Amino acid sequence: MEIASYKNNWSYPTNVRVGAGRLRELAQCCQQLGMQAPLLITDPGLAALPVVEQALQVCRDGGLQVGLFSAVKGNPTGSNVSDGVAALEAGKHDGVIAFGGGSAIDAAKAVALVARQSCSLWEARNPATVDASLMLPVVAVPTTAGTGSEVGNASVITDEDNHTKRIIFHPRMLPAIVILDPELTVGLPPKLTAATGMDALAHNLEAFLAPTFHPMAEGIALEGMRLVKEYLPRAVRNGQDMDARLQMLVASSMGATAFQRGLGAIHALSHSVGALYDSHHGLLNAIVMPYVMQANRPVIEAEMARAARYLGLPHSDFNGMLDWVLDLRAELELPHTLAEIGVDDTQAVLIGEMSAKDITARTNARPLDAADYQQLFLNALTGKL
Ligand SMILES: [Zn+2]
């Protein structure tokens, strides 16, 4: 352990406390934001592990009246958010600790956004309806390395009534303080480490390929991909590798910082399949990634060559990148087709339509319509690369 043993404090893209053991500063972070009674929001799986009790104890030792809300689903729903708001009101909480994977952090950010507003969660999708002065402060503590939600100004919440994933966005949703502590991710099993790590790769890759002018985000995306290449296999092989764990947390934050530039068809497709089948977001991205690369191939050859050179791949061209992604998936023992995770073709038309309408489709490297997405889905279902 070398990098992880140092304490680093970054103020970009928000205040980030980086290093092993920094969870011990949680109470201090809450106090810095004026909280006396934070509500820690997480998922039930994590709530059963000692790490949540440890976080609560740090808060109690710091003199905080901390509460716990742990009823957040894997793909968080609108009712998860309203239940969280009810818990927040019942406990008279004045801030939120967003603790866990992307789902828990997304739900927690949405709770902090909407709790004191007069508008509903879905109405808050229009930032103009939100009174920013009423938003509650958030400290975010990721326990997986993938979504980067801790440095994002949006949440993805499933609308159960319409079986669709909706994006709630507000510039002030970016948590004011983030703790990146690799000790919190060492317990993540290899399969989840792999799937969440591939989400980080998908963010960096799609941000890099988005057809928008944002060279700063482009630079971050390139280095984010390099960190995934160097450290994801290490983190999957040896979960105790603290430096690899920390570098993947950073790669994850970089992906979400970079995707201000936009995402693309990997996410458009995985959002719709995820909404209908409730499958793991990172796993879906890992599966559909090479098929989407092929679909975009006519317009991304030059960018792929540039990325391949930066990553030091044996072949500095599109095929070099495609082979790297395929080899990485195989090395991490991730599936090659959607059929392998129980998805079928019964909703192919609907998936095509939903994907084309997904907000991330707007910044895909080239425009794809519903028929294109349907074909792309069928390719990923059956392994037609
Ligand atoms: Zn993602």
Side-chain angles (χ1 to χ4, degrees):
M1 184 167 84
E2 286 194 2
I3 297 163
S5 63
Y6 295 108
K7 286 185 181 181
N8 289 289
N9 295 329
W10 302 337
S11 59
Y12 172 81
T14 184
N15 294 300
V16 189
R17 299 187 183 207
V18 188
R22 308 280 314 254
L23 180 67
R24 287 191 284 276
E25 298 168 31
L26 180 58
Q28 197 193 328
C29 295
C30 291
Q31 281 150 348
Q32 197 178 318
L33 299 176
M35 297 182 208
Q36 301 297 322
L39 179 65
L40 188 149
I41 297 183
T42 190
D43 63 68
L46 209 54
L49 299 176
V51 68
V52 165
E53 183 46 40
Q54 192 190 334
L56 294 171
Q57 195 56 46
V58 167
C59 290
R60 288 186 209 109
D61 292 346
L64 298 173
Q65 299 288 321
V66 67
L68 173 66
F69 175 75
S70 62
V72 178
K73 279 184 41 167
N75 287 310
T77 62
S79 38
N80 290 158
V81 174
S82 39
D83 292 347
V85 169
L88 189 124
E89 283 168 358
K92 297 190 169 54
H93 294 287
D94 56 8
V96 168
I97 299 168
F99 194 95
S103 302
I105 293 178
D106 273 11
K109 282 160 56 184
V111 169
L113 167 74
V114 81
R116 300 270 158 86
Q117 308 290 331
S118 49
C119 64
S120 74
L121 176 65
W122 306 130
E123 285 164 353
R125 281 191 300 154
N126 175 4
T129 63
V130 172
D131 181 346
S133 70
L134 299 177
M135 289 170 69
L136 294 171
V138 178
V139 177
V141 189
T143 62
T144 65
T147 67
S149 181
E150 69 279 1
V151 292
N153 49 20
S155 290
V156 183
I157 306 292
T158 301
D159 178 349
E160 309 103 303
D161 296 336
N162 296 296
H163 291 282
T164 173
K165 290 200 164 192
R166 298 194 185 282
I167 294 179
I168 319 289
F169 158 84
H170 193 285
R172 292 270 301 272
M173 281 178 91
L174 181 68
I177 302 181
V178 172
I179 296 177
L180 296 184
D181 182 346
E183 289 179 1
L184 301 175
T185 64
V186 294
L188 203 65
K191 279 203 167 9
L192 265 179
T193 302
T196 50
M198 290 301 282
D199 190 25
L201 176 59
H203 295 157
N204 284 297
L205 178 67
E206 295 211 286
F208 178 69
L209 294 171
T212 38
F213 181 71
H214 201 326
M216 279 192 280
E218 206 175 321
I220 291 168
L222 266 180
E223 177 65 1
M225 284 191 272
R226 191 189 69 81
L227 292 181
V228 171
K229 176 174 176 284
E230 296 294 320
Y231 296 103
L232 181 55
R234 263 174 66 174
V236 170
R237 262 198 313 273
N238 173 14
Q240 302 295 319
D241 184 334
M242 210 61 90
D243 280 350
R245 290 294 196 180
L246 180 63
Q247 295 279 21
M248 281 308 301
L249 276 171
V250 177
S252 167
S253 290
M254 289 172 79
T257 306
F259 76 58
Q260 286 198 15
R261 196 168 187 251
L263 287 168
I266 295 174
H267 276 78
L269 197 52
S270 78
H271 283 161
S272 36
V273 178
L276 295 172
Y277 289 88
D278 209 20
S279 337
H280 188 276
H281 174 70
L283 182 60
L284 288 174
N285 286 339
I287 296 172
V288 305
M289 188 178 291
Y291 305 97
V292 173
M293 289 167 77
Q294 281 287 24
N296 286 334
R297 180 171 190 153
V299 299
I300 61 171
E301 298 255 12
E303 284 83 359
M304 288 287 85
R306 193 149 62 91
R309 280 196 296 278
Y310 185 77
L311 297 178
L313 300 176
H315 299 287
S316 300
D317 55 15
F318 176 90
N319 282 330
M321 283 294 282
L322 185 66
D323 288 346
W324 168 58
V325 168
L326 291 170
D327 291 348
L328 179 65
R329 282 196 326 175
E331 182 182 355
L332 304 179
E333 297 179 9
L334 290 161
H336 184 57
T337 66
L338 291 172
E340 290 167 65
I341 60 164
V343 176
D344 57 38
D345 66 0
T346 52
Q347 301 188 84
V349 174
L350 179 60
I351 287 168
E353 288 164 0
M354 287 169 71
S355 304
K357 274 190 245 158
D358 193 272
I359 193 167
T360 60
R362 293 182 202 166
T363 44
N364 187 49
R366 67 173 183 146
L368 300 174
D369 63 18
D372 296 327
Y373 274 107
Q374 188 187 336
Q375 186 56 52
L376 194 45
F377 166 70
L378 292 171
N379 292 348
L381 185 73
T382 56
K384 191 171 153 238
L385 195 60

